[in-house]
Amino acid sequence: MTASTEAVAQRNANDWDPSAREFDQRPAGGGSGLFGSPGVPSNARNDTLDALDKILSSSKLSAFDRSLYLGIRAYQLSRLGREADSRKDIDEMGKVLPKGWQMVLSSTVPELAGGGDRAAALRTLDHALLRKPGDPWLAIAQAQVYMQIADFQRALALLDGALAGPTTEADRRAALFVRGHANFDLGRYAEAVDDFDASLEGRTTAKARLSPLLWRYAAQVRARRDARAGLARDLGKEDLGEWPGPIARFLLGRLPAGELEVAAETDDAAKRANGKCPSAFFMGIDAIRRGDKQRAREQLQLAQARCPTVSEFNWAAASELKRL
């Protein structure tokens, strides 16, 4: 349990952009270890709570780590029906990390929900919204949980609301990116193109731009637009050797499918990020572009099997399979 939480705690506290983490998914199978496994009996869940209590009793935790563990405990307490105690932990998060607690919760709760207890995740986020009504990061997290259960319309409404209120540039960029996924999964491809395109604003490096560009490509393919031309124009002569760059090279016709599969299985960064998940998805999108529906179905089914349930690729693959 400690190893599972510390892996999350090691994230850069300033890196909350959903697109920045998108290609760093957990291995296929989903779940969140001891936290999220729906099959864990109640006594084992209590053992997890005891372990969290022990961690939080330490005086050596940084403000970020303490906020993170409090957020995880708030979720665990909600799972156990201890809502008042869950709210107390969220209030404590606000005191420990006043300028970033909601981002910590937004970053972790959707992943914890992937273990199957989405109701507890939504209750935890509802508690957080009582403390900070209208916060865009909490709305983003709620939308991601709803997308895990394929309620994309509810997710879209939440994200529309977040974007209608006052936002910083980073808030807006993140909300637009996630709304792009909600629109894509609803088959609203033109709107998804616009959202992914708008989420590029303020991104100055190829690495930061690559994820929105790849998703814009997918939406343009489904909207029957010239996706390759836009991708080639925006990437120009960028070095696409670093993962997930090979996916872009494949989509641009510069890398054969077989070599992309090899890269997804052998490249160190791809192996750490479960690269076989997005590679299968984008090979499916390429097959749709070429009109090969059988190949598209095969690759999207493969993506659905390889990608965890908290992954945008899983949601998109499942949605596209229904429309093929």
Side-chain angles (χ1 to χ4, degrees), residues 111-176:
E111 293 188 27
L112 295 170
D117 200 339
R118 275 96 184 196
L122 290 170
R123 287 195 302 272
T124 304
L125 292 167
D126 282 341
H127 296 334
L129 282 162
L130 291 175
R131 181 178 179 86
K132 194 170 184 181
D135 182 81
W137 291 98
L138 297 175
I140 288 169
Q142 282 190 320
Q144 289 175 317
V145 176
Y146 278 113
M147 285 195 277
Q148 290 179 25
I149 57 175
D151 192 346
F152 304 114
Q153 197 66 55
R154 182 68 177 274
L156 186 65
L158 286 165
L159 294 162
D160 284 346
L163 286 163
T167 59
T168 67
E169 181 179 291
D171 294 346
R172 184 170 182 79
R173 186 165 54 230
L176 283 165

Side-chain angles (χ1 to χ4, degrees), residues 218-242:
Q220 286 174 327
V221 166
R222 298 300 279 126
R224 298 184 179 181
R225 300 182 187 178
D226 186 355
R228 269 192 174 182
L231 189 62
R233 179 188 66 247
D234 285 313
L235 288 176
K237 297 181 180 179
E238 295 287 349
D239 180 4
L240 299 173
E242 182 181 347

Side-chain angles (χ1 to χ4, degrees), residues 63-105:
F64 171 71
D65 285 357
R66 184 170 297 280
S67 180
L68 180 128
Y69 289 121
L70 282 166
I72 294 170
R73 191 171 68 176
Y75 165 81
Q76 285 297 97
L77 288 166
S78 183
R79 293 190 74 184
L80 294 168
R82 294 171 56 181
E83 303 303 337
D85 290 331
S86 178
R87 287 193 291 271
K88 286 180 183 177
D89 273 355
I90 290 170
D91 287 341
E92 185 64 20
M93 288 179 72
K95 297 174 184 175
V96 169
L97 199 69
K99 293 185 179 180
W101 68 272
Q102 75 277 22
M103 299 179 193
V104 173
L105 212 58

Side-chain angles (χ1 to χ4, degrees), residues 271-292:
K271 286 191 290 185
R272 288 193 299 271
N274 187 21
K276 293 188 292 184
C277 156
S279 62
F281 175 78
F282 283 108
M283 282 192 279
I285 292 297
D286 179 71
I288 292 174
R289 182 187 64 81
R290 293 183 288 103
D292 188 344

